[in-house]
């Protein structure tokens, strides 16, 4: 395969994940009140680290790397927790939690295959659903113009937001595969162009940015370490590991390459290393992107060279802040319209995962009900446990942590602590139902 074709296929992979890659820093940075210059850095370093993370994963060696043509990008499951941590403990705690949680993934990579049994679809589906539900208010506020904006809820903001959402829906309805994979990116581009004609886009910040810059270590200052933030982030990363595992097996099946426990451990170690480095460069947690799996099937090209090219393109983009600055001019209403679709898809992903669960069993329904109910309840009423000792509030202060622990605990009680006699009886009953 010639270099031109490799580059074009690599660029196609970049376009497929670009929307998700830039939206995460825009959402998180906007929610925690960063300036446009800080947002520009955040987008640029995120693209850079997406390339580094992908490179670490594709480059298989003795210590890390799954060695499959997978592309890594920011995990959406971390958006809500990062916004919550930033709002409660400050930006420095976001990166302190990412650094420690990433280090734990690296250290525990050899054992994570065994920990995955505590995160069956019943647990991961509940957690992903909770995260998606808690993100929707953020999307709706942005769609209306951003919380605190003078024109909040104006017809122009609503028109832009719902227009972008409608365009994404139309693209999903009338296009296929690759066009679908870039529908969010196209929605943002068209929405921003429409907003510029309405006088809602300011390009002055783009003109002031340099063409080239170097990544900075600890750009936002020294990290701080909060136990609650670290625990929340570690749980989110475990969910991301479970998601990545599904992508690894999907790609291994496409490429006709078997993946064993050692390969998975090296894949987890590569993700943990990428997350750890991302924390020091003030980037984000990463996971294997499923949208790029579809491109492997669409193109029919399954060599690692194409993904190496994609990682190189991402790294180069990370050195070009002026390109990153262009994305920061996207109005909140345009971003909000896209966020409704994306965060709604997070909820849908949770429901899809839960569809793998035997919902005929009342115990599973109770696990879902209690975990989602507890997670949403603590998120909506964060002062619920304010009178408990501070040591306990470490566990009760976050809806995602409470929902996750509820799901894990109840799954152990109902599904992992059954006597052999009970399990045999349930299997016999299931077989009888199936035979009928």
């Amino acid at each position: 395969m010639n270099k031109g074709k490799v580059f074009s296929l690599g660029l196609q992979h970049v376009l497929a994940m670009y929307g998700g890659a830039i939206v995460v820093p825009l959402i998180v940075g906007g929610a925690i009140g960063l300036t446009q210059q800080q947002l520009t850095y955040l987008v640029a370093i995120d693209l850079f680290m997406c390339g580094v993370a992908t490179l670490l994963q594709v480059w298989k060696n003795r210590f890390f790397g799954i060695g499959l043509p997978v592309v890594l990008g920011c995990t959406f499951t971390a958006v809500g927790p990062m916004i919550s941590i930033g709002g409660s403990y400050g930006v420095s705690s976001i990166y302190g939690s990412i650094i420690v949680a990433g280090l734990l993934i690296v250290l525990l990579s050899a054992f994570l295959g065994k920990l995955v049994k505590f995160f069956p679809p019943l647990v991961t589906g509940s957690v992903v659903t909770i995260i998606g539900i808690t993100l929707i208010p953020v999307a709706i506020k942005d769609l209306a113009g951003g919380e605190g904006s003078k024109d909040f809820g104006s017809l122009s903001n609503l028109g832009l937001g719902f227009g972008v959402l409608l365009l994404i829906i139309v693209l999903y309805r009338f296009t296929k595969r690759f066009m679908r994979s870039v529908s969010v990116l196209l929605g943002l581009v068209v929405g921003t162009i429409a907003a510029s004609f309405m006088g809602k886009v300011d390009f002055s910040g783009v003109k002031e940015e340099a063409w080239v810059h170097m990544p900075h270590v600890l750009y936002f200052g020294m990290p701080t370490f909060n136990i609650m933030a670290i625990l929340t982030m570690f749980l989110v990363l475990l969910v991301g590991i479970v998601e990545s595992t599904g992508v690894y097996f999907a790609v291994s099946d496409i490429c006709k390459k078997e993946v064993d426990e050692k390969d998975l451990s090296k894949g987890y170690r590569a993700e943990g290393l990428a997350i750890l480095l991302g924390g020091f460069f003030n980037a984000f947690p990463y996971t294997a992107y499923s949208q790029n799996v579809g491109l492997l099937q669409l193109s029919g090209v399954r060599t690692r060279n194409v993904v190496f090219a994609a990682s190189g393109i991402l790294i180069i983009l990370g050195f070009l802040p002026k390109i990153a600055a262009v994305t920061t001019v996207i109005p909140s209403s345009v971003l909000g319209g896209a966020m409704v679709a994306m965060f709604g898809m997070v909820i849908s992903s949770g429901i899809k995962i839960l569809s793998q669960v035997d919902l005929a069993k009342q115990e599973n329904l109770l696990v879902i009900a209690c975990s989602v109910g507890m997670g949403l309840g603590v998120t909506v009423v964060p002062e619920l446990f304010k009178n408990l000792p501070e040591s306990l509030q470490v566990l009760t202060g976050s809806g995602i942590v409470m929902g996750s622990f509820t799901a894990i605990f109840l799954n152990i009680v109902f599904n992992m602590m059954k006597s052999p006699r009970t399990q045999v009886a349930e299997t016999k009953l299931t077989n009888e139902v199936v035979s009928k």
Side-chain angles (χ1 to χ4, degrees):
M1 189 186 304
N2 61 54
K3 293 181 180 179
K5 189 174 182 180
V6 170
F7 176 83
S8 62
L9 290 170
L11 180 61
Q12 185 173 250
H13 273 286
V14 171
L15 290 174
M17 56 82 68
Y18 191 81
I22 65 170
V23 166
V24 171
L26 290 178
I27 294 169
V28 175
I32 61 179
L34 298 184
T35 65
Q36 185 171 348
Q37 186 178 19
Q38 291 171 327
L39 271 177
T40 298
Y41 174 80
L42 209 59
V43 172
I45 197 62
D46 176 51
L47 293 172
F48 176 82
M49 283 307 304
C50 281
V52 172
T54 300
L55 183 62
L56 291 174
Q57 194 62 276
V58 180
W59 174 34
K60 187 176 183 179
N61 55 71
R62 287 179 56 193
F63 304 104
F64 57 82
I66 194 75
L68 293 171
V70 294
V71 176
L72 270 65
C74 306
T75 172
F76 275 94
T77 53
V79 172
M82 286 190 291
I83 292 173
S84 177
I85 292 169
S88 300
Y89 310 110
V91 179
S92 59
S93 283
I94 294 177
Y95 294 108
S97 66
I98 290 174
I99 289 170
V100 176
L103 180 60
L104 288 173
I105 296 295
V106 172
L107 297 176
L108 298 175
S109 56
F111 307 100
L112 285 178
K114 298 176 178 62
L115 288 179
V116 166
K117 68 180 180 180
F118 292 101
F119 290 83
L122 180 61
V123 174
T124 55
S126 299
V127 173
V128 173
T129 302
I130 292 167
I131 291 172
I133 291 172
T134 58
L135 284 171
I136 290 298
V138 177
I140 295 298
K141 288 176 183 177
D142 270 6
L143 187 149
E147 190 172 13
S149 62
K150 294 180 181 179
D151 58 349
F152 187 86
S154 66
L155 291 178
S156 60
N157 284 335
L158 296 180
L160 281 170
F162 284 111
V164 169
L165 179 59
L166 180 61
L167 177 59
I168 293 171
I169 293 171
V170 168
L171 288 171
Y172 255 80
R173 172 63 181 84
F174 295 105
T175 63
K176 296 182 182 298
R177 295 187 176 181
F178 178 67
M179 287 298 290
R180 282 188 173 188
S181 68
V182 296
S183 59
V184 170
L185 181 60
L186 291 174
L188 292 173
V189 170
V190 173
T192 303
I193 292 172
S196 67
F197 285 110
M198 300 167 66
K200 289 180 173 288
V201 178
D202 181 11
F203 286 99
S204 59
V206 178
K207 297 176 182 177
E208 294 173 2
E209 284 293 337
W211 278 104
V212 180
H213 78 159
M214 296 297 293
H216 297 278
V217 176
L218 302 178
Y219 178 84
F220 292 104
M222 290 297 295
T224 55
F225 304 97
N226 180 279
I227 296 177
M228 179 67 194
I230 293 169
L231 181 60
T232 301
M233 190 59 65
F234 183 64
L235 284 170
V236 169
L237 295 191
L238 286 179
V239 173
I241 287 291
V242 174
E243 292 174 347
S244 290
T245 303
V247 173
Y248 297 156
F249 282 119
V251 174
S252 69
D253 184 61
I254 293 171
C255 298
K256 308 299 181 185
K257 292 183 179 179
E258 289 190 9
V259 172
D260 57 26
E261 190 171 324
K262 287 184 178 179
D263 291 326
L264 289 176
S265 294
K266 288 195 286 186
Y268 302 150
R269 195 172 295 121
E271 281 197 27
L273 186 58
I275 293 165
L276 176 62
L277 290 173
F280 280 108
F281 282 102
N282 296 140
F284 300 99
Y286 300 96
T287 190
Y289 266 17
S290 58
Q291 54 261 51
N292 292 88
V293 178
L295 277 181
L296 291 175
Q297 295 174 315
L298 176 64
S299 66
V301 178
R302 296 152 191 175
T303 65
R304 291 186 297 165
N305 288 344
V306 170
V307 179
F308 275 125
S311 66
I313 293 169
L314 287 166
I315 290 172
I316 291 171
L317 288 174
F319 285 104
L320 307 175
K322 197 173 282 290
I323 293 177
V326 173
T327 64
T328 66
V329 303
I330 301 173
S332 295
S333 54
V334 172
L335 195 58
M339 286 160 61
V340 170
M342 289 186 297
F343 295 162
M345 288 297 285
V346 174
I347 300 174
S348 298
S349 296
I351 296 172
K352 181 180 178 181
I353 296 170
L354 289 173
S355 69
Q356 304 170 34
V357 178
D358 183 3
L359 298 179
K361 293 173 63 175
Q362 292 295 322
E363 296 96 327
N364 290 340
L365 293 178
L366 185 62
V367 173
I368 296 168
C370 291
S371 58
V372 174
M374 183 61 71
L376 186 58
V378 173
T379 300
V380 175
V381 189
E383 65 273 13
L384 177 65
F385 297 109
K386 67 178 182 179
N387 292 323
L388 291 180
E390 288 188 11
S391 57
L392 290 178
Q393 288 186 37
V394 168
L395 298 176
T396 61
S398 165
I400 294 170
V401 172
M402 281 296 294
S404 300
F405 270 113
T406 302
I408 294 168
F409 174 72
L410 292 181
N411 178 62
I412 292 172
V413 170
F414 286 117
N415 295 318
M416 299 179 70
M417 293 179 63
K418 292 179 179 177
S419 65
R421 182 181 299 177
T422 303
Q423 292 179 355
V424 170
E426 287 188 353
T427 303
K428 183 178 180 181
L429 179 61
T430 300
N431 292 335
E432 289 176 356
V433 172
V434 171
S435 63
K436 291 180 181 179

